[in-house]
Amino acid sequence: MRVKPKKSRFEKHHIENFIGRAYMSFCVLLLIVIIVSMVYFVASKGIANFVSGEVKVSDFLFGTKWSPEADTPSYGAFPFIAGSFLVTLLAALIASPLSICAALFMTEIVPGWGKKLLQPVIELLSGIPSVVYGFVGLSVIVPFLRNTLPGQGIGVAAGALVLSVMILPTITSVAADALASLPQNLKESSFALGATRWQTISRVILPTTFPAIMTGVVLGMARAFGEALAVQMVIGNAPFVPRSLFESASTLTSVITLGMGNTTMGSPQNNALWSMALVLMLMTFVFVLLVRMLERRNKI
Amino acid sequence: MKPRTADKIATAIIVTFALLIVAILVGLLGYILIRGMSHISWDFLTSAPQKIRAGGGVGPQLFNSLFLLVLTLIITIPLGLGAGIFMAEYARPGRLTNFIRLVVEVLSSFPSIIVGLFGLLLIVNTFNLGFSLISGALALTFFNLPLMVRITEQAFRTVPKQQKEAGFALGLSKWKIVTSVLLPVALPTIITGTILSAGRVFGEAAALMFTAGMSSPRLDFSNWNPLSPSSPLNPFRPAETLAVHIWKVNSEGLAPDALQIAAGASAVLVLTVLIFNLAARYFGRFIYRKLTASKRMN
């Protein structure tokens, strides 16, 4: 039998390897191209108004008057920025205690069936689409607020309530992971010293896992900040800085949602909406940065 | 206060809050399903929506949602698998890998409305594809790709190292190891993750409003030529999905039964997501048994 002595560079497995590697590198490259072009396109549209001198950056960020259709139009986006931050912070304030309790329930109080009960609940809650949350908010929370509290029901409070339910699963799952990965001996030594469960939770478990739990809170806030439709449906969409929680207001996302379809591309009003999109994008970077910082603290 | 009393009170509060979350979910699902179910009928699921009169259905929207999901998965799965396998098996720890990881993280945390706006700018206007199914599918790809990459990477990382080393010891090429040793073991996890992400795609609205559009042309369900403008299969026609329809009916609906339509459509949406969730669990286990001959999935 003759054996081929020459070893070709182009054997079948070499070619396969090469094609596989090339294809995978292409996929990764595509990811990078997508994100670079995303940042580039949104940023170039977002700064168009500032470059052309139509609007000053300070007027846009801190101006409280949004009247793009007036004779002397003004594009102050402060009411929307304030609205976004307000609903996000409120939602996080409502959701964090609930989520942390749920995570403690799953990992510390009844680790067996607690996890079995809450895990599917969390998964289902995170699977419900945001428009459905908006619809339920509009048909349950808004009438409830209208009947029990002053105001029309729509407003910051309704938006924050809807958002808080939406970010519950995010915070809970991150917090539960953090609690579950805590070394057992920390807890055990605390119990051995005679501490009760609550003493162990409040003085050992929570302080140790604090950065990791905060990661979950920040991720939840990022989701709340960027959520568009559910908030838009319940917040009322008035372009003013809210003076009370039960007053109609707007967020960056709700203004973009409503305005983008009704304005012509390239007009100053449309460009102002793109500037808001740019603010949203920059906030996303801030949230990612925060998460990274917290994760770094968590490692040490 | 005595530590014991404090412990009891704290435990009670934690249990109450945890059960409150369960109650919220039960209430939510119950409300959506009970309110919506009474409105769901074969007619509602198949007939076209009415602008001003009552009695419109969501037939075209339901079809659009499913078709868009299929298109999105066709584009996303190969790309996500490629990038995910690269991250798990090929990327060496270093600056470049860290950068790619950051890219995936940022891309997955972009608000979906930003993805939609980017789609409007790049695909709809610059590529001139207009409000169409294909624009929507591409926007959803941007939205879903980072998730798919993560799912694939994690699935590949859970494969025991010995299997890979055994493959190398037998002299297999890297490509052979990836495709015929690692992929079959990782596949159940990937499928489960993909079905779950499909649920997310199915309910997405903000990314689609400005890419797939908010209108649905009259569809002729007997015309299956993908190039004809009235054919449901034509990827270049505008397509309002179920989720977008719920939003539109709620915020600018003129039909007198707008709330019922929204309730019915919400119930359909939630039911579909529930089915996806159950399917993900069941199917993952089933495939795992088929491929590995063992009973349990880790």
Side-chain angles (χ1 to χ4, degrees):
Chain A
M1 195 165 54
R2 271 180 60 194
V3 179
K4 247 189 209 165
K6 202 181 102 203
K7 205 166 186 206
S8 157
R9 270 193 58 141
F10 300 109
E11 271 176 278
K12 195 176 155 229
H13 70 269
H14 280 287
I15 299 172
E16 269 178 0
N17 260 354
F18 179 76
I19 292 175
R21 190 175 259 277
Y23 172 69
M24 287 169 200
S25 312
F26 163 77
C27 293
V28 170
L29 206 66
L30 192 72
L31 269 177
I32 298 175
V33 168
I34 288 174
I35 195 133
V36 168
S37 54
M38 226 160 172
V39 174
Y40 170 77
F41 272 92
V42 174
S44 65
K45 272 291 224 182
I47 60 170
N49 260 356
F50 308 134
V51 170
S52 67
E54 192 80 37
V55 186
K56 269 193 248 150
V57 179
S58 57
D59 287 349
F60 175 76
L61 286 180
F62 303 112
T64 52
K65 198 161 161 244
W66 173 258
S67 51
E69 267 133 27
D71 291 335
T72 49
S74 64
Y75 302 102
F78 183 72
F80 314 133
I81 297 174
S84 278
F85 274 101
L86 197 59
V87 285
T88 305
L89 285 175
L90 277 175
L93 278 181
I94 302 170
S96 306
L98 280 173
S99 310
I100 294 171
C101 284
L104 286 172
F105 185 78
M106 281 161 75
T107 51
E108 306 299 330
I109 311 271
V110 268
W113 61 267
K115 198 173 162 63
K116 266 197 196 124
L117 172 74
L118 276 179
Q119 193 73 40
V121 168
I122 296 301
E123 274 169 25
L124 286 177
L125 270 182
S126 73
I128 295 178
S130 61
V131 277
V132 175
Y133 277 113
F135 166 70
V136 174
L138 199 60
S139 50
V140 178
I141 294 180
V142 169
F144 172 75
L145 288 176
R146 189 176 345 170
N147 295 334
T148 51
L149 293 160
Q152 289 298 306
I154 48 175
V156 177
L161 280 175
V162 169
L163 281 179
S164 64
V165 180
M166 292 183 71
I167 65 176
L168 272 178
T170 315
I171 307 180
T172 309
S173 55
V174 176
D177 284 347
L179 292 176
S181 66
L182 191 71
Q184 280 291 322
N185 49 17
L186 269 178
K187 263 187 288 181
E188 277 158 10
S189 39
S190 167
F191 284 130
L193 288 171
T196 62
R197 185 161 57 194
W198 171 240
Q199 281 171 330
T200 309
I201 290 174
S202 62
R203 308 211 186 137
V204 177
I205 297 177
L206 287 182
T208 335
T209 50
F210 181 73
I213 292 177
M214 278 312 286
T215 312
V217 176
V218 172
L219 284 174
M221 284 171 72
R223 182 160 180 214
F225 201 84
E227 176 48 48
L229 301 184
V231 180
Q232 186 273 326
M233 284 158 89
V234 296
I235 202 166
N237 305 306
F240 308 113
V241 183
R243 272 164 299 158
S244 105
L245 291 184
F246 307 104
E247 217 169 79
S248 169
S250 291
T251 64
L252 291 168
T253 47
S254 73
V255 177
I256 297 173
T257 313
L258 286 180
M260 197 51 85
N262 304 330
T263 51
T264 38
M265 268 280 179
S267 65
Q269 186 183 355
N270 186 273
N271 282 340
L273 294 176
W274 284 100
S275 306
M276 291 182 211
L278 181 60
V279 173
L280 271 179
M281 192 176 235
L282 293 177
M283 276 312 292
T284 310
F285 292 139
V286 171
F287 284 125
V288 170
L289 204 69
L290 272 176
V291 167
R292 293 231 146 185
M293 277 164 62
L294 286 167
E295 274 172 354
R296 202 164 300 153
R297 253 195 72 184
N298 200 21
K299 261 178 206 147
I300 301 163
Chain B
M1 207 189 314
K2 273 195 200 151
R4 246 170 224 293
T5 335
D7 182 54
K8 280 207 178 109
I9 295 173
T11 308
I13 291 175
I14 291 172
V15 172
T16 316
F17 276 8
L19 294 182
L20 181 66
I21 293 183
V22 179
I24 289 175
L25 177 83
V26 173
L28 254 175
L29 286 183
Y31 178 80
I32 295 165
L33 294 181
I34 289 169
R35 252 202 93 170
M37 275 310 200
S38 58
H39 201 74
I40 296 180
S41 61
W42 182 246
D43 192 48
F44 178 71
L45 291 180
T46 51
S47 65
Q50 299 285 349
K51 274 232 169 65
I52 303 163
R53 279 185 298 129
V58 291
Q61 280 77 15
L62 189 59
F63 177 82
N64 287 341
S65 284
L66 291 171
F67 190 35
L68 197 57
L69 177 63
V70 172
L71 278 180
T72 308
L73 288 183
I74 289 176
I75 307 174
T76 318
I77 291 175
L79 292 175
L81 272 181
I85 294 175
F86 184 91
M87 294 303 290
E89 299 299 325
Y90 287 81
R92 291 193 193 86
R95 266 221 190 123
L96 184 68
T97 311
N98 283 343
F99 175 69
I100 300 170
R101 226 171 271 285
L102 181 69
V103 164
V104 174
E105 197 179 331
V106 170
L107 198 56
S108 67
S109 37
F110 271 148
S112 54
I113 185 147
I114 295 283
V115 176
L117 290 177
F118 170 66
L120 170 70
L121 211 52
L122 183 77
I123 308 163
V124 177
N125 290 342
T126 311
F127 292 168
N128 220 353
L129 286 169
F131 290 138
S132 64
L133 272 168
I134 193 77
S135 306
L138 286 172
L140 285 180
T141 301
F142 302 151
F143 170 77
N144 202 20
L145 195 54
L147 199 69
M148 203 60 221
V149 173
R150 254 188 221 173
I151 291 166
T152 312
E153 189 188 345
Q154 274 167 10
F156 268 78
R157 282 196 193 285
T158 54
V159 180
K161 221 175 172 182
Q162 290 89 326
Q163 301 214 7
K164 193 162 85 175
E165 280 161 2
F168 276 124
L170 288 172
L172 294 179
S173 69
K174 183 133 191 173
W175 177 249
K176 240 345 189 224
I177 288 174
V178 167
T179 51
S180 45
V181 178
L182 301 180
L183 190 60
V185 185
L187 201 57
T189 323
I190 295 177
I191 290 176
T192 314
T194 309
I195 299 177
L196 285 177
S197 81
R200 213 170 74 114
V201 166
F202 195 77
E204 179 52 40
L208 290 176
M209 292 167 61
F210 307 121
T211 50
M214 292 196 258
S215 63
S216 188
R218 193 160 280 285
L219 295 181
D220 177 7
F221 279 93
S222 59
N223 180 357
W224 294 102
N225 171 14
L227 295 175
S228 144
S230 71
S231 159
L233 284 185
N234 183 358
F236 298 104
R237 65 182 172 85
E240 182 193 41
T241 64
L242 206 54
V244 176
H245 189 63
I246 295 175
W247 179 78
K248 211 176 109 186
V249 162
N250 264 316
S251 53
E252 49 198 45
L254 294 173
D257 57 347
L259 267 182
Q260 273 86 359
I261 292 175
S266 296
V268 174
L269 210 55
V270 167
L271 271 180
T272 318
V273 173
L274 279 179
I275 292 171
F276 278 142
N277 265 298
L278 290 178
R281 272 161 207 278
Y282 176 77
F283 206 62
R285 268 183 221 148
F286 174 74
I287 297 265
Y288 192 76
R289 235 175 348 220
K290 279 268 157 197
L291 287 177
T292 60
S294 62
K295 282 250 157 63
R296 281 255 232 83
M297 203 173 150
N298 35 44

